[in-house]
Amino acid sequence: MNVYIKTYGCQMNERDSESAAAMLVSAGHRIAGTEEEADIVILNTCSVREQAERKAIGKLGILKKLKRERPHMIFGIMGCMAQSRGEELLKSVEHLDFAVGTDNIHAIPEIVEEIVRKKRKIRCDDRRGADTPGIDAHRINAEQGQFSAFLSISRGCNRYCSYCIVPYVRGPERSRDMDGIVAEARSLADHGIREIMLLGQNVAAYGLDGVPPPIAEDNSPFSELLERISAIDGIRRIRFTSPHPAFFNRKLIETIARLPKVCKCIHLPLQSGSDRILQRMNRPYDAEHYMNIIRSLRELVEGINFSTDIIVGFPGETEEDFEATRRIMREAAYDNAFIFKYSPRRGTVAAKMPDDVPQEEKERRNALLLRDLAEINASRNRELVGKTFEVLAEGPSKRNAARWSGRTDTFKLAVFPPSPGLKPGDFVRVRIERATPMTLYGSIEG
Ligand code: SAH
Ligand code: SF4
Ligand code: F3S
């Protein structure tokens, strides 16, 4: 049958959709490009903010029409909402056939078969270890120019940041076996992958077996993992997301600085620059600790840059707290920041605090941070004019097919005229001639 999977939420979900697709293909199904061509539609859902849940529920409503036109169709949900609200949704949405939780992706092909045979609703949400079957299943299309892949190194999260629903839906943190991860990376390299993005809710806690911070400065199994993946010949670039600042120790800083394949672009979620708010968020670090990580890395690695996640309008966030966040924003001089308006999530500790920052104020703080970011970007990008960077070529640029785009090691988007015979996944040296806040423009150095 033809299967269409639509993914909401984070890269973990994207990765899970890919392994679901790979397992469905192994079971004899085909992946469709649109829901209209599909016999089976699966929504891979996210619960992190209310808006994310609303989108998936809205989509489920729209899909009802397809079911009326083509009654043989099968509809399923997977991912975080399927884990936390699967039961309820199976009851309330008549045309929904299955809800598969975040640890049971490998069960999807069997579930589909059973629904075809018996026409009954199925829910599956039990918890499992990190190395679930099929967690290493990929769909790599090197002929189509794919050179980059996601690799999940752990499941779940133990941090319980007070605003966050993820630990409740994804379950406790479980690290995968290191040899298995390295074998998966090697196999990706053999299939033409040059760049790997390691994924986990807190990658810096990889292999620490759930020990809470503070972490000893020299204890970092994640550093060992970076080291081992670095040793794989075909892999040229390693990225990762996200490390929790309280787990970012000396060993990890030195490893990042030492290994040339580890990209010099670090996503380091700040959430708030106010120590008082960080405490209420159950984020066990302060602004000083956070800035020390950034300063140490800047000292050791020339040209390194940072991105972050910030929440505005957390319960009790005053103007003063917000100004503390703006200060860190400027000090850290981020190249990118994902800014979120606080959204209360049921069952979390913060959901019991009054959501007392009015919506308009959340909007205002959000807009101010975005404006600050644009200013920082404009000045940082201007400084790059005249410099030369190694760029991993991706293909024709979206805006102008006569030019190609690619990413620098620091994840900057560079646009340049292609050289003859250039293929996606090739490395070129691009000299930057002009910059906007979002993009660098240049030419390949001959
Ligand atoms: N584990 C990752 C983040 C996963 S969720 C990490 O810690 O970096 C991605 C981001 O969503 C978080 O970093 C946070 O900024 C934001 N987020 C999580 N819960 C939220 C909520 N209730 N309201 C608004 N933003 C939220
Ligand atoms: Fe959520 Fe915090 Fe875990 Fe990230 S570290 S997933 S923000 S609980
Ligand atoms: Fe959303 Fe689940 Fe990711 S809640 S952000 S899809 S871990």
Side-chain angles (χ1 to χ4, degrees), residues 181-192:
I181 298 172
V182 174
E184 182 176 337
R186 212 172 278 129
S187 153
L188 288 170
D190 292 344
H191 286 87

Side-chain angles (χ1 to χ4, degrees), residues 21-280:
M23 287 184 270
L24 283 159
V25 168
S26 299
H29 302 283
R30 283 189 314 168
I31 301 301
T34 64
E35 58 211 43
E36 284 78 20
E37 298 161 28
D39 309 296
I40 305 172
V41 175
I42 305 175
L43 305 184
N44 192 357
T45 56
C46 170
S47 298
V48 80
R49 281 167 292 275
E50 199 185 327
Q51 182 64 10
E53 292 207 342
R54 254 198 252 127
K55 265 196 223 155
I57 290 184
K59 185 74 187 173
L60 268 178
I62 295 169
L63 291 174
K64 191 171 179 181
K65 195 170 121 280
L66 278 182
K67 178 86 170 185
R68 250 188 258 127
E69 289 162 8
R70 303 166 63 202
H72 79 282
M73 282 186 80
I74 294 176
F75 294 95
I77 51 173
M78 58 187 279
C80 294
M81 233 172 118
Q83 180 79 36
S84 60
R85 297 177 59 187
E87 184 98 48
E88 166 205 335
L89 289 167
L90 278 177
K91 277 202 192 111
S92 62
V93 181
E94 203 196 332
H95 58 287
L96 186 63
D97 298 296
F98 68 86
V100 171
T102 51
D103 289 347
N104 298 280
I105 295 155
H106 56 284
I108 295 176
E110 258 171 59
I111 286 176
V112 164
E113 220 174 278
E114 196 172 335
I115 291 172
V116 171
R117 268 203 323 265
K118 292 202 196 127
K119 276 277 158 229
R120 67 177 186 97
K121 291 190 180 233
I122 297 181
R123 171 157 199 238
C124 181
D125 64 351
D126 46 326
R127 288 267 178 245
R128 290 161 197 266
D131 290 280
T132 49
I135 191 164
D136 56 353
H138 285 265
R139 290 184 78 228
I140 301 298
N141 200 337
E143 290 84 56
Q144 293 265 309
Q146 186 182 348
F147 52 80
S148 182
F150 287 155
L151 198 173
S152 292
I153 65 169
S154 61
R155 304 196 79 84
C157 183
N158 274 5
R159 293 309 338 130
Y160 288 93
C161 303
S162 64
Y163 50 80
C164 185
I165 199 170
V166 171
Y168 303 90
V169 292
R170 289 252 167 194
E173 178 186 287
R174 287 143 293 161
S175 296
R176 287 180 57 195
D177 169 57
M178 197 181 294
D179 290 341
I181 298 172
V182 174
E184 182 176 337
R186 212 172 278 129
S187 153
L188 288 170
D190 292 344
H191 286 87
I193 293 301
R194 296 290 159 259
E195 177 181 76
I196 287 185
M197 169 76 111
L198 302 174
L199 301 178
Q201 296 300 347
N202 178 8
V203 289
Y206 171 79
L208 289 173
D209 297 327
V211 296
I215 306 296
E217 292 295 338
D218 60 350
N219 186 10
S220 175
F222 180 58
S223 296
E224 194 190 323
L225 180 65
L226 289 175
E227 192 106 40
R228 288 187 58 189
I229 296 178
S230 265
I232 300 171
D233 271 345
I235 300 301
R236 297 274 301 267
R237 282 183 173 177
I238 305 168
R239 302 187 186 278
F240 54 83
T241 195
S242 298
H244 188 298
F247 290 72
F248 218 106
N249 58 11
R250 197 70 227 162
K251 175 83 179 276
L252 183 52
I253 291 174
E254 281 165 8
T255 306
I256 292 168
R258 185 164 42 82
L259 297 175
K261 290 183 185 177
V262 174
C263 288
K264 302 310 181 246
C265 168
I266 305 295
H267 184 67
L268 193 61
L270 170 69
Q271 311 302 359
S272 169
S274 152
D275 293 345
R276 195 180 73 86
I277 294 293
L278 283 171
Q279 214 167 31
R280 285 165 63 88

